[in-house]
Amino acid sequence: MIGLPANSQRVTTDFVFDPARAAPFLTQHSHNGWLGLTYRGHGPDWVELELPWRADLVGEEDRDVLASGPIVSLMDMASGLAIWTRSGKFRPIATLDLRVDYTRAAAPRGSVFGRATCYRTTRSAAFVHGIAHEGDPDDPVARVQGVFMTIAHDPRQVTNG
Amino acid sequence: MAEHHTLTPYARALGIVLDRMDGELPVLRVEFTDAVQGRPGALHGGAISGLLETAGYALLRGALSDVGRPVSMKPINLTVQFLASGKPRATFAKARVVKLGRRTANLSIEAWQDDPARPIASAVMNVMVAMPEPAAD
């Protein structure tokens, strides 16, 4: 499942971003590591991560349901990985706009899976949509739409890329 | 007053605290720690979103309580705009109730670091504030 992304012919080096290898490293530190995000799978333009249930990540004192904050973080990270997977390149990106619709309540004490798909990239922007689900992608708990910007170079400079 | 601003287990675990009251409006703060770090030396966008959302709920909890309404809050949606990268320092957030309706509330929230006039992120959120009425379905 490591196959080259569809647009990989534009990659001039041998390096092709592989989320299966990169995700464990990228999710072990800092905020993603604190949340315990783990890699679940990917395709040519999508990546799925798991956010395990944990008592100190709940949103209400008396209900064992993950707070919405960690789900935003889950989808943000899955989105970044989906962008790098589609483009085959690991380049700095910044979230510009992220919208989350909570379509139904999550079940108590369950993991939430975040699957993000990058459906369009330009030189400076990447567009992502995704879902958060509890095991059945056809019955999501949330839907996400996001726009990301590359921050690799100053757009005012003349580039050859 | 303080009980209005009870933070969620998630918010407390992330290190979010009530910094001060700005009139009626709670100002929340999170210090820069590894738990909120994304890229090395920068705040994680998800952590910023968590702070914005927490500031929204803290204000709404108080607003509902102040008018004697039950504190029932279910997220409908959240849209976050990331305006600048978060530097490795304390970050603050304050919300405003744009509309408190019978069924839903609309909130606007901003987060900043050094200067409230230069926000690093803003958000709009809709929250269901009434239990669904069976007869209405």
Side-chain angles (χ1 to χ4, degrees), chain A residues 75 78-80 82-83 116-120 126-130 144-148:
Chain A
M75 299 312 301
S79 296
I83 293 164
T117 302
C118 176
Y119 62 92
R120 166 82 177 148
F127 301 86
V128 172
H129 61 74
V144 176
Q145 181 76 43
V147 183
F148 295 72

Side-chain angles (χ1 to χ4, degrees), chain A residues 30-32 34 56 58-61 68-70 72-73 76 93 95-102, chain B residues 8-10 12-14 34-35 37 39 44 46-47 49 53 74-82:
Chain A
S30 303
H31 186 63
N32 297 318
W34 178 75
D56 67 347
V58 305
E60 294 175 66
E61 207 72 65
S68 45
V72 178
S73 297
D76 187 68
I93 53 172
T95 317
L96 185 67
D97 177 297
L98 193 64
R99 175 197 172 109
V100 184
D101 291 335
Y102 297 100
Chain B
T8 63
Y10 157 73
R12 294 198 303 269
L14 199 57
D34 193 53
Q37 181 169 238
R39 288 195 308 278
H44 193 289
S49 303
E53 227 175 359
K74 303 276 179 252
I76 298 170
N77 63 13
L78 166 80
T79 305
V80 186
Q81 317 288 323
F82 296 93

Side-chain angles (χ1 to χ4, degrees), chain A residues 60-135:
Chain A
E60 294 175 66
E61 207 72 65
D62 49 352
R63 290 183 71 232
D64 289 340
V65 174
L66 287 169
S68 45
I71 292 174
V72 178
S73 297
L74 165 74
M75 299 312 301
D76 187 68
M77 188 61 202
S79 296
L81 288 164
I83 293 164
W84 297 321
T85 300
R86 179 186 160 101
S87 68
K89 289 181 278 192
F90 182 58
R91 53 185 177 172
I93 53 172
T95 317
L96 185 67
D97 177 297
L98 193 64
R99 175 197 172 109
V100 184
D101 291 335
Y102 297 100
T103 49
R104 68 171 176 82
R109 291 180 170 265
S111 285
V112 173
F113 304 92
R115 181 181 296 191
T117 302
C118 176
Y119 62 92
R120 166 82 177 148
T121 55
T122 69
R123 272 173 58 176
S124 54
F127 301 86
V128 172
H129 61 74
I131 55 167
H133 65 89
E134 299 172 296

